Short mmCIF file of all heavy atoms in Angstrom, two decimals:
data_model
loop_
_atom_site.label_atom_id
_atom_site.label_comp_id
_atom_site.label_asym_id
_atom_site.label_seq_id
_atom_site.Cartn_x
_atom_site.Cartn_y
_atom_site.Cartn_z
N TRP A 173 -9.04 6.11 -31.15
CA TRP A 173 -10.46 5.95 -31.00
C TRP A 173 -11.02 5.14 -32.17
O TRP A 173 -10.72 5.39 -33.33
CB TRP A 173 -11.20 7.28 -30.95
CG TRP A 173 -10.77 8.20 -29.83
CD1 TRP A 173 -10.32 9.46 -29.86
CD2 TRP A 173 -10.89 7.87 -28.42
NE1 TRP A 173 -10.09 9.92 -28.62
CE2 TRP A 173 -10.40 9.00 -27.75
CE3 TRP A 173 -11.32 6.75 -27.76
CZ2 TRP A 173 -10.39 9.04 -26.38
CZ3 TRP A 173 -11.26 6.82 -26.33
CH2 TRP A 173 -10.81 7.90 -25.70
N ASP A 177 -17.34 6.35 -38.14
CA ASP A 177 -17.39 7.39 -39.20
C ASP A 177 -16.46 7.06 -40.36
O ASP A 177 -16.06 7.92 -41.09
CB ASP A 177 -16.83 8.72 -38.53
CG ASP A 177 -17.78 9.17 -37.47
OD1 ASP A 177 -18.97 8.94 -37.55
OD2 ASP A 177 -17.28 9.76 -36.47
N PHE A 185 -10.32 4.20 -37.82
CA PHE A 185 -9.44 4.60 -36.77
C PHE A 185 -9.13 6.08 -36.86
O PHE A 185 -8.78 6.57 -37.92
CB PHE A 185 -8.11 3.79 -36.89
CG PHE A 185 -8.32 2.36 -36.48
CD1 PHE A 185 -8.62 1.37 -37.48
CD2 PHE A 185 -8.10 1.94 -35.16
CE1 PHE A 185 -8.79 0.12 -37.11
CE2 PHE A 185 -8.31 0.63 -34.86
CZ PHE A 185 -8.61 -0.29 -35.82
N VAL A 186 -9.22 6.78 -35.76
CA VAL A 186 -8.93 8.17 -35.68
C VAL A 186 -7.79 8.39 -34.72
O VAL A 186 -7.92 7.93 -33.57
CB VAL A 186 -10.18 9.00 -35.23
CG1 VAL A 186 -9.85 10.51 -35.19
CG2 VAL A 186 -11.35 8.79 -36.20
N SER A 187 -6.77 9.07 -35.11
CA SER A 187 -5.67 9.32 -34.20
C SER A 187 -6.08 10.21 -33.07
O SER A 187 -6.94 11.10 -33.23
CB SER A 187 -4.51 9.97 -35.00
OG SER A 187 -3.48 10.33 -34.12
N LYS A 188 -5.41 10.02 -31.91
CA LYS A 188 -5.68 10.85 -30.76
C LYS A 188 -4.98 12.22 -30.87
O LYS A 188 -5.22 13.07 -30.01
CB LYS A 188 -5.28 10.18 -29.51
CG LYS A 188 -6.00 8.87 -29.20
CD LYS A 188 -5.56 8.24 -27.93
CE LYS A 188 -5.80 9.02 -26.70
NZ LYS A 188 -5.45 8.28 -25.47
N SER A 189 -4.22 12.44 -31.96
CA SER A 189 -3.61 13.68 -32.09
C SER A 189 -4.60 14.77 -32.52
O SER A 189 -5.71 14.49 -32.99
CB SER A 189 -2.48 13.60 -33.15
OG SER A 189 -3.04 13.26 -34.42
N LEU A 190 -4.13 16.09 -32.44
CA LEU A 190 -5.02 17.11 -32.74
C LEU A 190 -5.44 17.13 -34.25
O LEU A 190 -6.59 17.37 -34.65
CB LEU A 190 -4.33 18.49 -32.36
CG LEU A 190 -5.15 19.74 -32.68
CD1 LEU A 190 -6.42 19.77 -31.88
CD2 LEU A 190 -4.31 20.94 -32.35
N GLU A 191 -4.48 16.80 -35.18
CA GLU A 191 -4.80 16.81 -36.58
C GLU A 191 -5.81 15.72 -36.96
O GLU A 191 -6.72 15.94 -37.72
CB GLU A 191 -3.52 16.64 -37.42
CG GLU A 191 -2.49 17.77 -37.31
CD GLU A 191 -1.66 17.72 -36.07
OE1 GLU A 191 -1.84 16.72 -35.38
OE2 GLU A 191 -0.87 18.63 -35.80
N GLY A 192 -5.55 14.50 -36.39
CA GLY A 192 -6.46 13.45 -36.70
C GLY A 192 -7.91 13.75 -36.27
O GLY A 192 -8.85 13.49 -36.94
N ARG A 193 -7.99 14.33 -35.10
CA ARG A 193 -9.36 14.65 -34.54
C ARG A 193 -10.01 15.75 -35.40
O ARG A 193 -11.23 15.72 -35.59
CB ARG A 193 -9.25 15.07 -33.09
CG ARG A 193 -9.10 13.90 -32.15
CD ARG A 193 -9.06 14.30 -30.71
NE ARG A 193 -7.82 15.08 -30.42
CZ ARG A 193 -7.53 15.68 -29.30
NH1 ARG A 193 -8.44 15.65 -28.31
NH2 ARG A 193 -6.36 16.30 -29.14
N ALA A 194 -9.17 16.69 -35.90
CA ALA A 194 -9.79 17.73 -36.74
C ALA A 194 -10.36 17.20 -38.04
O ALA A 194 -11.44 17.54 -38.52
CB ALA A 194 -8.72 18.81 -36.97
N VAL A 195 -9.57 16.26 -38.68
CA VAL A 195 -10.02 15.71 -39.92
C VAL A 195 -11.32 14.84 -39.74
O VAL A 195 -12.23 14.92 -40.49
CB VAL A 195 -8.94 14.81 -40.54
CG1 VAL A 195 -9.46 14.01 -41.72
CG2 VAL A 195 -7.70 15.67 -40.99
N ALA A 196 -11.34 14.16 -38.59
CA ALA A 196 -12.50 13.33 -38.34
C ALA A 196 -13.70 14.22 -38.09
O ALA A 196 -14.84 13.92 -38.51
CB ALA A 196 -12.27 12.50 -37.11
N ALA A 197 -13.48 15.37 -37.44
CA ALA A 197 -14.62 16.28 -37.17
C ALA A 197 -15.19 16.85 -38.51
O ALA A 197 -16.37 17.00 -38.66
CB ALA A 197 -14.13 17.44 -36.27
N LEU A 198 -14.28 17.22 -39.45
CA LEU A 198 -14.76 17.68 -40.78
C LEU A 198 -15.53 16.65 -41.47
O LEU A 198 -16.55 16.94 -42.14
CB LEU A 198 -13.55 18.13 -41.62
CG LEU A 198 -12.81 19.41 -41.03
CD1 LEU A 198 -11.60 19.68 -41.97
CD2 LEU A 198 -13.79 20.62 -41.19
N ASN A 199 -15.10 15.38 -41.45
CA ASN A 199 -15.79 14.31 -42.13
C ASN A 199 -17.24 14.14 -41.53
O ASN A 199 -18.19 13.98 -42.22
CB ASN A 199 -15.04 12.99 -42.00
CG ASN A 199 -13.78 13.04 -42.86
OD1 ASN A 199 -13.70 13.71 -43.86
ND2 ASN A 199 -12.78 12.20 -42.48
N ARG A 200 -17.30 14.22 -40.20
CA ARG A 200 -18.58 14.06 -39.57
C ARG A 200 -19.48 15.25 -39.92
O ARG A 200 -20.71 15.08 -40.08
CB ARG A 200 -18.41 13.97 -38.00
CG ARG A 200 -17.86 12.62 -37.59
CD ARG A 200 -18.12 12.39 -36.11
NE ARG A 200 -17.40 13.46 -35.35
CZ ARG A 200 -16.16 13.29 -34.88
NH1 ARG A 200 -15.48 12.15 -35.17
NH2 ARG A 200 -15.55 14.23 -34.23
N PHE A 201 -18.90 16.50 -40.05
CA PHE A 201 -19.69 17.62 -40.38
C PHE A 201 -20.34 17.48 -41.79
O PHE A 201 -21.52 17.81 -41.98
CB PHE A 201 -18.85 18.83 -40.34
CG PHE A 201 -19.53 20.11 -40.77
CD1 PHE A 201 -20.37 20.78 -39.85
CD2 PHE A 201 -19.38 20.66 -42.04
CE1 PHE A 201 -21.05 21.94 -40.26
CE2 PHE A 201 -20.03 21.83 -42.43
CZ PHE A 201 -20.89 22.44 -41.52
N GLY A 202 -19.60 16.95 -42.71
CA GLY A 202 -20.11 16.71 -44.08
C GLY A 202 -21.24 15.70 -44.04
O GLY A 202 -22.28 15.81 -44.76
#
Side-chain angles (χ1 to χ4, degrees):
W173 297 123
D177 298 325
F185 289 90
V186 180
S187 173
K188 294 177 69 173
S189 63
L190 181 61
E191 294 81 2
R193 284 181 290 174
V195 173
L198 291 175
N199 291 334
R200 285 197 299 270
F201 178 77

